[in-house]
Amino acid sequence: MATQITEAKSGNITEEMKIIAKLEGESPEKIRDRVAKGKVVIFKNIVRQNLERYTAIGEGLFTKVNVNLGASTDHYDENEELEKVEIANKFGADTIMDLTDGGDIDGMRRKVLAKAKMPVGTVPIYQLYYEMVTKRKYVIDFNEDDLFNVIEKHFKDGVDFVTVHTGVTLDLAKKAAEQKRTAGIVSRGGTILTAWEIYNEKENPLYANFDYLLELAKEYDVVLSLGDALRPGGIDDAHDELHVGELLVNARLAKKAIEKGVQVMIEGPGHMPLDQIEMDIKLEKQLTGGVPYYVLGILPTDIAAGYDHIAGAIGGALAAAYGADMLCYLTPAEHLSLPTPEQVKDGLIAFKIAAHTGDIIKLGEKARKLDTEMSKARASLNWQKMFSLTFDDERARRIYRQYKKFEAGSCTMCGDLCVYLVLPRALNKKKYANQKASTENR
């Protein structure tokens, strides 16, 4: 089966590579060469027919933002989740992950796929967990076939990438159960697999049968996102033995995937102090040889509940600047609740800003030119241009007009003391006076 990697290794430039090259301002040849080396991945399941917004992540490309959505066992509202998809479409999410873990999981996934303009990812083990609980009443009562059947179902439906927690080996699972982490294991998929491995005294089926997983992924050209089952869920746990041990395992598996022609990325933390972010990004890139890094946040503090989208955007901006390839957004509801549609929007905008802020450093002029345009528009009081360059032009217009009924002149913060009015007036008055004096002296 031909995949983006096998085509690239053969020297071929696919249509998807051409599209990405145009979007990213790169040559198709550079995209092809980076795909061949596993340094760039393109999200496109071969059975997905309605993809409108193509996305790639990796070396030399803009930092992307993923939006998580999906119903839960406590709150299942299909219309609400589809409204979140609309928000993601409207405000420029680069990918979506449907994390539905209760109710009609198949139905929700298929409707999200039908509505989303961009690539869609899932975490298949959530569905396996829910089905085991509802049908067999015991979460660890499943076998390897159960797991791979669910994964293949997601592939057949057209998902473009999946999170698979391949790196939590039986050895690491036992260590996780014994060690006294501050925050423990915060990954749902990681917790399920850790419990299964310890109870059954068997190796992680995703790790033990990685070759079979690669065969399935290659058949559909699905990107495997090697999950961070043992990521730090609090800043105290950053870069402990479990965190780094899992990264080492996933780095080896990623290299194997690329050799076999399967696109792959690594998922990262999680929570960690700001001064460890640069090291974390460089460590992942060094261990994997440049495999794209997809990070959650990163959250540099544990006490921002209600404002985790701001805390995460701070860490995300640094991560992007140092080389992270995609940021998984956080919303104000993180650690508290399933997010509302409005909270999804807040999180997405915060992380779009973080990604762009990081790209100014990582990509330089390629990203910075929009900021130059904005500065020029401000200096000329060109409000229409300013609104067009913002992440949410409707909100910017609404705020501008909250004390003013027309879009012209200064804003109401400075009013008649606007810096772009005071100096020109003085200069014009001086020029007029000089001209008048010159005329009178003739």
Side-chain angles (χ1 to χ4, degrees):
M1 175 64 202
T3 66
Q4 296 292 335
I5 288 184
T6 58
E7 288 289 291
K9 286 181 177 180
S10 298
N12 299 324
I13 296 174
T14 65
E15 285 303 312
E16 290 81 9
M17 293 175 198
K18 293 176 184 176
I19 293 169
I20 295 302
K22 186 174 181 180
L23 291 171
E24 299 284 346
E26 295 281 357
S27 70
E29 290 76 18
K30 282 187 178 180
I31 299 298
R32 177 198 61 199
D33 294 346
R34 292 170 190 169
V35 169
K37 295 174 183 177
K39 294 184 177 184
V40 163
V41 300
I42 299 173
F43 301 100
K44 174 63 171 68
N45 186 323
I46 61 169
V47 305
R48 181 89 187 272
Q49 299 299 316
N50 67 329
L51 191 64
E52 295 181 33
R53 187 181 301 160
Y54 284 76
T55 299
I57 65 170
E59 183 180 296
L61 308 187
F62 290 106
T63 305
K64 306 306 189 299
V65 175
N66 173 74
V67 161
N68 285 342
L69 48 82
S72 75
T73 53
D74 281 348
H75 183 74
Y76 187 99
D77 186 325
E78 195 174 89
N79 292 331
E80 190 172 72
E81 296 311 311
L82 294 178
E83 183 182 348
K84 295 174 187 178
V85 177
E86 285 287 5
I87 289 170
N89 285 338
K90 179 176 180 179
F91 292 98
D94 299 293
T95 61
I96 281 177
M97 291 201 79
D98 173 21
L99 306 186
T100 299
D101 61 10
D104 183 5
I105 297 176
D106 288 333
M108 182 71 79
R109 178 176 64 256
R110 290 160 189 164
K111 288 181 180 178
V112 168
L113 278 162
K115 199 173 192 65
K117 295 181 178 181
M118 70 292 286
V120 173
T122 57
V123 187
I125 200 166
Y126 291 176
Q127 181 166 8
L128 177 64
Y129 172 90
Y130 180 69
E131 291 178 351
M132 293 306 101
V133 169
T134 56
K135 295 178 183 178
R136 304 182 190 177
K137 307 302 180 186
Y138 198 44
V139 63
I140 51 179
D141 185 19
F142 65 86
N143 58 42
E144 296 175 356
D145 287 340
D146 293 326
L147 176 56
F148 283 100
N149 286 340
V150 170
I151 292 172
E152 188 169 15
K153 181 196 291 188
H154 286 227
F155 289 179
K156 287 180 176 178
D157 279 348
V159 300
D160 303 289
F161 64 105
V162 293
T163 293
V164 281
H165 301 88
T166 52
V168 54
T169 61
L170 178 58
D171 176 60
L172 285 172
K174 290 179 177 178
K175 288 178 179 178
E178 296 167 358
Q179 290 187 12
K180 299 299 181 183
R181 264 184 161 187
T182 299
I185 302 177
V186 299
S187 163
R188 282 177 285 178
T191 301
I192 295 165
L193 281 171
T194 298
W196 186 91
E197 291 168 41
I198 292 173
Y199 181 82
N200 293 290
E201 279 290 329
K202 292 182 69 175
E203 185 56 87
N204 178 350
L206 296 170
Y207 178 78
N209 300 283
F210 190 65
D211 286 336
Y212 179 58
L213 178 61
L214 293 180
E215 289 178 20
L216 285 178
K218 189 172 183 179
E219 184 178 349
Y220 297 89
D221 203 5
V222 169
V223 175
L224 293 181
S225 187
L226 305 189
D228 46 355
L230 301 176
R231 66 179 179 268
I235 60 174
D236 289 348
D237 301 327
H239 297 109
D240 65 3
E241 181 182 5
L242 301 177
H243 174 193
V244 177
E246 181 182 35
L247 177 58
L248 286 166
V249 174
N250 278 337
R252 291 195 298 269
L253 295 177
K255 291 176 181 178
K256 185 173 185 179
I258 295 165
E259 290 172 4
K260 298 289 187 179
V262 175
Q263 298 191 95
V264 64
M265 61 185 179
I266 302 280
E267 292 187 18
H271 297 234
M272 69 176 53
L274 282 174
D275 63 350
Q276 294 186 32
I277 292 176
E278 180 179 10
M279 177 267 286
D280 183 83
I281 305 299
K282 290 181 176 178
L283 179 64
E284 187 274 348
K285 294 295 183 180
Q286 181 65 34
L287 290 174
T288 65
V291 168
Y293 200 20
Y294 168 36
V295 300
L296 175 61
I298 296 171
L299 269 171
T301 177
D302 300 335
I303 61 170
Y307 298 90
D308 273 329
H309 62 309
I310 297 174
I314 293 169
L318 271 183
Y322 292 131
D325 302 289
M326 184 158 71
L327 310 179
C328 186
Y329 89 150
L330 300 172
T331 76
E334 188 73 17
H335 298 114
L336 300 171
S337 168
L338 194 72
T340 64
E342 186 64 25
Q343 289 163 346
V344 166
K345 176 186 170 183
D346 289 344
L348 173 55
I349 296 296
F351 274 78
K352 292 280 286 186
I353 294 169
H356 176 71
T357 302
D359 281 345
I360 291 172
I361 307 304
K362 181 167 67 177
L363 301 178
E365 185 58 32
K366 184 176 178 181
R368 189 175 182 147
K369 60 185 180 182
L370 292 176
D371 296 80
T372 301
E373 287 184 41
M374 177 63 91
S375 293
K376 290 178 179 178
R378 283 187 174 137
S380 61
L381 294 178
N382 185 344
W383 294 103
Q384 301 310 315
K385 181 68 172 178
M386 282 187 263
F387 295 145
S388 73
L389 291 169
T390 61
F391 292 92
D392 182 356
D393 66 319
E394 294 174 0
R395 187 169 193 264
R397 288 177 190 275
R398 187 167 63 251
I399 291 174
Y400 177 86
R401 298 188 67 165
Q402 60 193 3
Y403 298 119
K404 192 172 186 175
K405 298 192 181 301
F406 55 91
E407 296 167 1
S410 63
C411 74
T412 53
M413 178 69 183
C414 299
D416 200 46
L417 297 181
C418 175
V419 296
Y420 296 122
L421 294 177
V422 173
L423 185 58
R425 284 171 183 165
L427 293 175
N428 287 335
K429 187 174 182 180
K430 178 72 172 178
K431 181 180 178 182
Y432 175 75
N434 290 339
Q435 288 175 343
K436 184 178 180 181
S438 176
T439 301
E440 291 174 348
N441 290 332
R442 286 180 184 174

